[in-house]
Amino acid sequence: MKASYNWIKEFVDISMPPKELAHTLTMAGFEVEAIEQVDDDTIFDIGITPNRPDCLSIRGIAREISAIIGLPIKDNPVKIDKEEGEGPDIDIDNPDLCPRYCSRIVSGIKTGPSPEWLSKRLESCGIRSTSNIVDITNYILLELGQPMHAFDLDTLSGKKIVVRKAGEVKSFTTLDNEKRPLSKDTLLIWDGEKPVAIAGVMGGQNTEVSEGTVNVLLESAYFNPASVRRTSKLLNLSTESSYRFERGIDLEAVSFALDRAAQMITENTGGQVTAISDKYPDTFKPQKISFSADKVSSVIGVDIEKSFIEKTLVNLGFKIELAEEGMVATPPSFRNDVEKDVDIIEEVARLYGYDKIPSTLPVMQMSPASEHRTQELVKALKSSMVNSGFSEVINYSFMNPDVLDKLNLSSDDKRRNLIYIKNPLRNEDSAMRTSLIPALFNNISLNLNRGEKMLRFFEISRVFLPTDRKLPDEIVQMAAVFHKKKASSIWQSKHDGFYDLKGALENIFAELKLSNVSFIKDSNAAETYLHPGKAGYIMIDNNKAGYIGALHPGVAEAFDIKGDITVAEIYNIDTIINMIPSKITYASLPKYPYVERDAAIVVNDDVTVSDVMKVIHGMESDLIETVNLFDIYKGKPVPEDKKSLAFSIRYRSAERTLTDSEVDQLNSEIIKRLQDNLNVELRS
Amino acid sequence: MLNDLHSIKKSVREEAERAGSLQDIQNLKVKYLGKKGVLTNKLKFLGSIPKEQRPEYGSSLNEIKKYIEALLNKQEDIFKSSELNKSLQTQQIDITIPGYYIPLGHLHPITLVLNEIVSIFISLGFTVEEGPEVELDFYNFEALNFPKDHPARDMQDTFFISDNVVLRTHTSSVQVRTMEKNTPPLRVIAPGKVYRCDADVSHIPMFHQLEGFMVDKHIRMSDLKGVLELFIHRVFGRNTSVRFRPSFFPFTEPSAEIDISCVICKGSGCNVCKGTGWLEILGAGMINPRVYEKAGYDPDLYTGFAFGMGIERVAMLKFSIDDIRLFPENDKRFLEQF
Ligand SMILES: [Zn+2]
């Protein structure tokens, strides 16, 4: 809220310069966000927190300053010298939504522009000056925090005000010339026959004060905060009035503001004032709050004198009684935020000064801080991916629903069940993501467009899958993408990016001590967006834990990315946690030396390395320790539809040193088995 | 006879000195020590020497053999190492060619900052908890004393999934979830993603927060100050000034906002701190008893504090990043700086 220094000084005799006052306010919970010099005045922009609507006015801020620095508040005396005639009839249908409505009629006024001091003051506080009557109602709003409205009496049907819900009325045109839709519960102000204002939000065009207005009916009321807020949200219309009503104004000050407005109008435009009509069925009943001075000290953590507590609260307008046990505080009517003893504690702490509270360390029982297993694993995965050369990205959890088509997902894919955001910022961000992949493609595309090469990214984040329950499943996934540029280094590598990414994953699995990991092809491609010949599942303990594959060229085109792109995904990080061995058991080191034999074989192209491995590991011998593929060769003199694979097989016995002859024999048995099963030929 | 041996010794020494190459030395070895070498021949004639002279002659012969062996081996080593050096000199590589490309990955700066902050609190005995990002209105607002139709809700622009389900606007939503499952004493941090329906030069709709809270029988507001000052000094250095000032959050009472002296201008005033010398870094306060009521704790028995901070904000101050939109953009040139 914007507040004028000079205006504040009308209510409290402050001598501190503006800058010092700004600091004082900030340290008491009213953050001065900006200070601006306007002519001979200083304008503060003060952040008023939602709990302090009593400070949404000049007088309210002055009242707070007076409490902080211990100076009295000065009020402009208000006196209506002469009342002529009765005020309007007031009927309130819903006293719960409008507990008080005050009104006076001022007749014989002269509308016109405001005097310069008035319009200047309004404009310095951010309100545009229009004409004297409207300006005066706005002036009262700024000065006292009481929203006011003036109706042109001659457009009203009868000297009558009714506060009643909209009911069957479906719409209403407000004075900004907008036709507003209403709900049946929207609280309206009616005259004898028609609606004339939306209560607490905005007046109607039909009864607006205009150039020729001679008689006005002034409204000063209290409307229920939640009701005004609902209306304001429904209409998507927030006004200076609704802003104050929905936070809560001072129920007891409603008539004072009306009198001050009436007085200002007659002083500035002439006219006569009727008696007040004040419909106030249930008067304000202050709440008594018991508290103990000891608790104030023990919660804050410093001994605070009883006398300081008492003085502070009295300065803030509280009434204090000493009870048998502790004290009883009665907050003033404008402090609707103070309800419990902790609220009293805050008032004391605030004016004691947070900076004077000492810094201590809590005394607590020791208790073991257990690790969060998912977060620990995520941390390990991230560091492993980074060690393998991948950089971490963090993308929005939002997804454009259209990308599912770009990914070619089948119509029954569960990732098509989306959770939608009702109020997205952009349509592209209207769903919660069910896959991490599209955002990674966007990362690749953005970086390629900026001329970057050799892109290796990964992300570990949640995806959101709908359930029958109130909340979706949030599953932590890992996805990685590798865009390989073969000539980006003098150390060119000729292999597909597939194997770079696979190596990174194998590193992770080794680091996690996951031993039973394999990569298998299925009759279906693991994902519709993968190259059918260059993709497969990642199996851990014979469960599908994820996939790896080259991107399907059609999908790459849809995402406007070119090149050798490999992607991989781990479906659910939490399921991996349970597969990690909880214990490492040491195996004794071998006592006897190993013997190694190399075997180069020629096989058909469709025979996989894993086929060969399976045959070798399937031998009925416990002497085969490891089998290591060290070369793959295609080209002359190997026939066109075949390839040559070279393995090094390491033999070892746990009980004795092997002889050359028994190793040779075993080696030839392996070759024979390979010949029988896979039709391999030996390469000399 | 012995003179004969001495002259052999002398001539070997002279020849070894004259030797100009490894080959010369190796030739000398053959000449004197080889199968048909001078000394070998002498040994063969040992039998023709009178019996009484044999021991003396034999031991002299042996001594001379050892001498020659040592001498020639030594010379041989000298030539070998000098020839090796010569040949190594011809094997030059260009050491300025870039090394074999070992790719280096980078953690996102948000992860780096989160890891640092989490480890500080773990060292203070806090445990890590998580909560859902798609959250019930109850945990995000209602249980934290943000009633429906209350303007306090305007403090956080909210993405709605349905009337009662929101994208959590703060990690404070983890508070009541954790309290429901545990009894005090509690020392908990909850890092994670949060969402606000807001996007401009200084706001992004998804960012990261870390919530922390501590509940026990005698926790004081001064403890909140102590713990947060300790934390701030660990992250921003001992010389950072810390300022607590009153504020408002529905779920804390009293509430505070915590400023640190500007990391850019050190407090003298600059653009980053809008001339104030202070930067807002944390929101905090004593947990409002209404929160304990929602969680089923006895509000008369327990006190505690809670605090929350934006991780992007901390990262921006730590690394002098001037645009928050760099974080979700994931430009390689940005990521590789961390
Ligand atoms: Zn600064």
Side-chain angles (χ1 to χ4, degrees):
Chain A
M1 178 188 147
K2 287 192 167 176
S4 143
Y5 178 68
N6 290 346
W7 201 348
I8 291 171
K9 283 214 284 194
E10 285 183 12
F11 290 97
V12 58
D13 276 325
I14 27 175
S15 50
M16 30 169 110
K19 220 169 164 185
E20 196 184 330
L21 180 62
H23 177 75
T24 303
L25 282 167
T26 296
M27 294 311 284
F30 302 88
E31 190 184 1
V32 176
E33 287 155 2
I35 304 175
E36 194 192 348
Q37 194 66 36
V38 177
D39 299 334
D40 61 340
D41 199 0
T42 305
I43 307 299
F44 303 107
D45 197 348
I46 309 176
I48 306 289
T49 52
N51 59 326
R52 292 305 300 273
D54 60 299
C55 290
L56 289 170
S57 66
I58 299 298
R59 183 165 170 270
I61 291 167
R63 190 165 53 199
E64 189 67 27
I65 293 169
S66 82
I68 299 167
I69 60 183
L71 284 175
I73 187 96
K74 304 180 290 180
D75 259 322
N76 293 324
V78 173
K79 197 165 178 297
I80 308 285
D81 292 333
K82 204 169 114 211
E83 290 177 348
E84 279 197 14
E86 292 297 304
D89 287 341
I90 300 168
D91 258 354
I92 302 177
D93 267 17
N94 307 84
D96 53 327
L97 302 185
C98 175
R100 189 173 189 187
Y101 196 106
C102 298
S103 180
R104 286 179 192 267
I105 290 166
V106 187
S107 45
I109 57 156
K110 195 163 171 291
T111 56
S114 292
E116 203 191 329
W117 67 269
L118 177 58
S119 50
K120 246 178 109 174
R121 195 159 257 191
L122 288 181
E123 275 166 10
S124 72
C125 291
I127 290 186
R128 200 169 53 88
S129 167
T130 51
S131 69
N132 49 11
I133 301 296
V134 175
D135 284 359
I136 286 169
T137 59
N138 282 331
Y139 188 88
I140 298 297
L141 173 132
L142 286 179
E143 185 180 73
L144 304 177
Q146 170 69 53
M148 308 265 314
H149 187 64
F151 297 97
D152 183 335
L153 181 70
D154 301 313
T155 61
L156 293 178
S157 159
K159 278 169 57 177
K160 187 172 171 68
I161 288 294
V162 180
V163 184
R164 183 192 298 153
K165 289 181 178 178
E168 293 306 305
V169 181
K170 293 281 180 281
S171 68
F172 179 73
T173 304
T174 43
L175 50 78
D176 56 359
N177 208 11
E178 290 280 332
K179 194 169 170 184
R180 309 276 177 182
L182 305 174
S183 91
K184 68 178 187 353
D185 288 325
T186 306
L187 193 67
L188 300 180
I189 308 301
W190 304 63
D191 61 11
E193 54 191 29
K194 61 181 184 295
V196 293
I198 298 176
V201 181
M202 197 179 266
Q205 199 194 33
N206 53 5
T207 51
E208 188 186 0
V209 171
S210 60
E211 229 173 284
T213 300
V214 192
N215 307 306
V216 291
L217 183 149
L218 294 177
E219 167 194 286
S220 180
Y222 182 104
F223 297 111
N224 175 284
S227 162
V228 173
R229 184 173 162 81
R230 278 194 297 271
T231 304
S232 161
K233 290 273 156 191
L234 173 78
L235 303 181
N236 195 19
L237 173 66
S238 177
T239 61
E240 293 283 348
S241 297
S242 70
Y243 191 84
R244 285 167 176 78
F245 279 126
E246 66 183 42
R247 280 160 177 74
I249 60 163
D250 183 356
L251 186 58
E252 286 284 271
V254 173
S255 60
F256 175 81
L258 176 68
D259 293 348
R260 171 112 170 95
Q263 186 191 33
M264 272 187 82
I265 289 173
T266 52
E267 276 171 13
N268 283 281
T269 75
Q272 278 142 9
V273 184
T274 66
I276 189 166
S277 299
D278 186 355
K279 201 84 173 179
Y280 188 15
D282 285 309
T283 48
F284 175 73
K285 284 174 201 70
Q287 194 195 358
K288 288 182 187 295
I289 303 164
S290 330
F291 69 100
S292 90
D294 290 347
K295 190 174 174 190
V296 174
S297 292
S298 72
V299 169
I300 298 175
V302 63
D303 279 330
I304 296 178
E305 296 277 336
K306 237 180 180 166
S307 58
F308 177 85
I309 295 173
E310 199 179 332
K311 190 186 93 204
T312 300
L313 292 172
V314 167
N315 284 350
L316 285 166
F318 290 66
K319 287 197 186 74
I320 301 295
E321 299 154 62
L322 298 180
E324 260 174 57
E325 281 181 37
M327 305 184 184
V328 176
T330 307
S333 60
F334 52 86
R335 288 302 303 271
N336 58 15
D337 60 310
V338 180
E339 294 175 322
K340 296 196 158 212
D341 62 351
V342 284
D343 302 322
I344 302 278
I345 294 172
E346 176 171 70
E347 291 307 297
V348 175
R350 200 164 63 82
L351 295 202
Y352 180 78
Y354 282 11
D355 51 342
K356 285 196 223 121
I357 300 172
S359 297
T360 56
L361 285 177
V363 180
M364 270 189 109
Q365 260 184 308
M366 293 283 286
S367 59
S370 58
E371 282 172 357
H372 193 282
R373 292 194 71 195
T374 307
Q375 296 216 350
E376 286 299 307
L377 178 60
V378 165
K379 208 170 158 183
L381 291 177
K382 284 182 179 179
S383 109
S384 189
M385 285 305 284
V386 164
N387 290 340
S388 294
F390 286 75
S391 286
E392 185 194 9
V393 294
I394 300 179
N395 288 298
Y396 287 144
S397 301
F398 314 123
M399 184 171 76
N400 185 342
D402 296 345
V403 299
L404 299 171
D405 293 330
K406 277 195 189 175
L407 285 177
N408 248 337
L409 294 189
S410 64
S411 58
D412 59 349
D413 193 297
K414 68 176 198 296
R415 285 165 294 184
R416 282 191 181 269
N417 291 330
L418 300 179
I419 291 165
Y420 287 97
I421 298 165
K422 281 169 79 179
N423 54 334
L425 287 169
R426 309 179 305 166
N427 193 44
E428 297 98 283
D429 297 331
S430 61
M432 296 306 283
R433 58 180 166 173
T434 53
S435 167
L436 304 181
I437 295 295
L440 283 167
F441 291 163
N442 291 338
N443 299 144
I444 294 283
S445 154
L446 175 130
N447 280 283
L448 287 177
N449 286 338
R450 292 179 180 182
E452 292 305 299
K453 292 165 184 169
M454 278 305 274
L455 305 172
R456 304 157 182 258
F457 295 134
F458 75 97
E459 177 167 12
I460 301 180
S461 282
R462 298 181 189 182
V463 296
F464 302 83
L465 304 174
T467 62
D468 299 337
R469 285 162 280 118
K470 283 180 191 154
L471 296 181
D473 279 336
E474 298 187 7
I475 293 166
V476 184
Q477 294 194 335
M478 182 176 93
V481 58
F482 180 23
H483 182 274
K484 185 164 180 168
K485 176 93 182 173
K486 286 195 175 121
S488 67
S489 155
I490 55 163
W491 313 107
Q492 294 186 21
S493 63
K494 298 261 186 311
H495 57 266
D496 281 359
F498 182 96
Y499 298 105
D500 294 82
L501 185 49
K502 186 183 174 194
L505 295 174
E506 284 171 327
N507 261 349
I508 290 181
F509 299 137
E511 218 170 299
L512 299 177
K513 307 273 185 290
L514 290 169
S515 50
N516 193 7
V517 178
S518 56
F519 293 79
I520 63 153
K521 268 190 185 172
D522 202 270
S523 49
N524 302 315
E527 291 286 355
T528 49
Y529 48 87
L530 298 179
H531 186 306
K534 301 184 176 179
Y537 289 104
I538 301 163
M539 308 294 290
I540 304 178
D541 292 348
N542 296 317
N543 295 307
K544 284 176 182 167
Y547 67 79
I548 175 170
L551 187 59
H552 192 290
V555 176
E557 205 184 314
F559 280 91
D560 197 23
I561 40 182
K562 291 191 181 74
D564 176 358
I565 299 155
T566 309
V567 291
E569 206 176 299
I570 303 289
Y571 300 139
N572 190 338
I573 298 301
D574 283 298
T575 60
I576 291 188
I577 291 181
N578 302 321
M579 301 175 182
I580 298 173
S582 55
K583 183 168 174 268
I584 297 175
T585 310
Y586 153 81
S588 56
L589 301 181
K591 290 191 182 69
Y592 301 95
Y594 63 81
V595 180
E596 248 172 17
R597 290 288 183 273
D598 291 349
I601 55 174
V602 174
V603 294
N604 284 337
D605 267 340
D606 60 354
V607 173
T608 67
V609 168
S610 144
D611 294 337
V612 177
M613 293 285 194
K614 267 188 206 145
V615 170
I616 301 175
H617 285 299
M619 297 294 293
E620 303 77 17
S621 164
D622 53 7
L623 301 181
I624 300 165
E625 190 177 76
T626 56
V627 184
N628 180 34
L629 173 76
F630 67 87
D631 189 41
I632 300 178
Y633 175 74
K634 260 189 88 61
K636 281 177 184 167
V638 178
E640 223 165 62
D641 56 346
K642 290 178 189 287
K643 61 192 170 191
S644 152
L645 303 174
F647 293 93
S648 161
I649 307 173
R650 180 177 285 192
Y651 302 91
R652 195 198 305 260
S653 160
E655 282 119 27
R656 62 203 159 79
T657 303
L658 295 176
T659 64
D660 277 349
S661 64
E662 66 182 320
V663 169
D664 287 340
Q665 197 194 329
L666 187 50
N667 208 49
S668 34
E669 279 170 27
I670 290 174
I671 302 297
K672 171 128 196 341
R673 184 76 65 91
L674 287 171
Q675 284 167 334
D676 292 350
N677 288 329
L678 299 174
N679 201 20
V680 313
E681 291 158 38
L682 265 193
R683 190 173 165 221
S684 42
Chain B
M1 294 289 281
L2 288 174
N3 284 346
D4 204 13
L5 290 182
H6 281 295
S7 70
I8 291 173
K9 192 174 169 182
K10 192 173 163 234
S11 62
V12 171
R13 203 162 52 219
E14 283 165 5
E15 283 178 66
E17 269 170 29
R18 280 201 304 272
S21 71
L22 183 61
Q23 191 56 52
D24 291 348
I25 297 293
Q26 278 161 352
N27 290 344
L28 282 177
K29 271 190 162 177
V30 174
K31 181 176 171 189
Y32 288 98
L33 304 169
K35 275 180 186 160
K36 291 173 182 167
V38 178
L39 283 186
T40 321
N41 270 337
K42 293 278 174 207
L43 208 61
K44 280 181 192 158
F45 290 106
L46 199 60
S48 63
I49 287 173
K51 233 180 188 151
E52 62 277 11
Q53 293 178 11
R54 250 184 243 168
E56 194 196 348
Y57 185 76
S59 72
S60 296
L61 196 60
N62 231 351
E63 196 183 303
I64 285 199
K65 193 186 171 203
K66 274 190 188 153
Y67 170 79
I68 294 174
E69 272 174 355
L71 178 73
L72 293 182
N73 281 345
K74 192 177 150 204
Q75 289 294 98
E76 193 178 37
D77 283 349
I78 290 170
F79 278 111
K80 268 190 181 163
S81 71
S82 111
E83 286 200 3
L84 180 63
N85 271 339
K86 242 187 263 164
S87 102
L88 293 184
Q89 283 301 322
T90 66
Q91 303 169 16
Q92 297 286 352
I93 62 162
D94 178 358
I95 62 160
T96 64
I97 294 173
Y100 177 71
Y101 176 65
I102 299 166
L104 183 60
H106 302 263
L107 286 175
H108 195 281
I110 292 301
T111 300
L112 280 180
V113 171
L114 263 177
N115 285 352
E116 181 185 352
I117 295 175
V118 167
S119 73
I120 290 173
F121 282 107
I122 284 182
S123 77
L124 294 173
F126 284 74
T127 56
V128 181
E129 290 285 345
E130 283 186 338
E133 292 170 27
V134 178
E135 182 58 289
L136 295 173
D137 182 279
F138 177 78
Y139 291 109
N140 194 75
F141 289 125
E142 205 73 37
L144 295 173
N145 194 32
F146 287 84
K148 278 226 156 85
D149 297 321
H150 195 278
R153 291 203 175 196
D154 288 349
M155 293 166 85
Q156 303 179 350
D157 291 321
T158 311
F159 283 117
F160 286 94
I161 300 297
S162 67
D163 284 350
N164 287 311
V165 178
V166 300
L167 298 190
R168 67 173 175 194
T169 55
H170 48 193
T171 41
S172 311
S173 57
V174 179
Q175 275 188 34
V176 171
R177 279 190 177 273
T178 307
M179 290 183 196
E180 282 176 344
K181 284 184 294 182
N182 304 279
T183 49
L186 284 184
R187 259 173 298 192
V188 174
I189 49 168
K193 291 178 176 139
V194 300
Y195 303 84
R196 302 271 174 98
C197 189
D198 198 0
D200 58 36
V201 288
S202 50
H203 297 90
I204 49 178
M206 183 193 90
F207 55 100
H208 296 76
Q209 278 189 344
L210 182 131
E211 180 81 5
F213 53 98
M214 189 181 259
V215 181
D216 202 352
K217 282 184 181 144
H218 302 288
I219 302 289
R220 303 157 295 180
M221 199 168 162
S222 58
D223 297 331
L224 168 67
K225 277 189 85 171
V227 168
L228 290 183
E229 277 174 10
L230 194 147
F231 162 74
I232 287 168
H233 287 150
R234 288 272 286 274
V235 175
F236 291 102
R238 292 224 153 266
N239 297 327
T240 309
S241 308
V242 184
R243 179 173 92 166
F244 286 68
R245 58 185 163 79
S247 188
F248 168 72
F249 306 105
F251 48 103
T252 53
E253 188 81 21
S255 301
E257 251 160 17
I258 291 99
D259 301 332
I260 59 170
S261 49
C262 179
V263 294
I264 310 293
C265 65
K266 307 289 172 216
S268 58
C270 69
N271 279 342
V272 176
C273 59
K274 292 182 193 142
T276 62
W278 295 98
L279 295 167
E280 195 182 311
I281 193 87
L282 278 150
M286 301 303 286
I287 295 173
N288 193 320
R290 289 173 196 274
V291 175
Y292 297 137
E293 283 166 20
K294 297 280 185 188
Y297 285 6
D298 180 353
D300 291 327
L301 197 55
Y302 297 113
T303 54
F305 60 72
F307 55 87
M309 71 189 93
I311 304 304
E312 275 77 0
R313 172 113 177 122
V314 177
M316 288 174 85
L317 296 177
K318 262 187 95 76
F319 303 128
S320 303
I321 296 168
D322 57 4
D323 188 347
I324 194 169
R325 294 170 298 183
L326 286 164
F327 292 108
E329 192 180 60
N330 298 305
D331 185 310
K332 186 183 176 214
R333 296 162 299 176
F334 174 73
L335 298 175
E336 286 182 346
Q337 294 183 32
F338 304 96

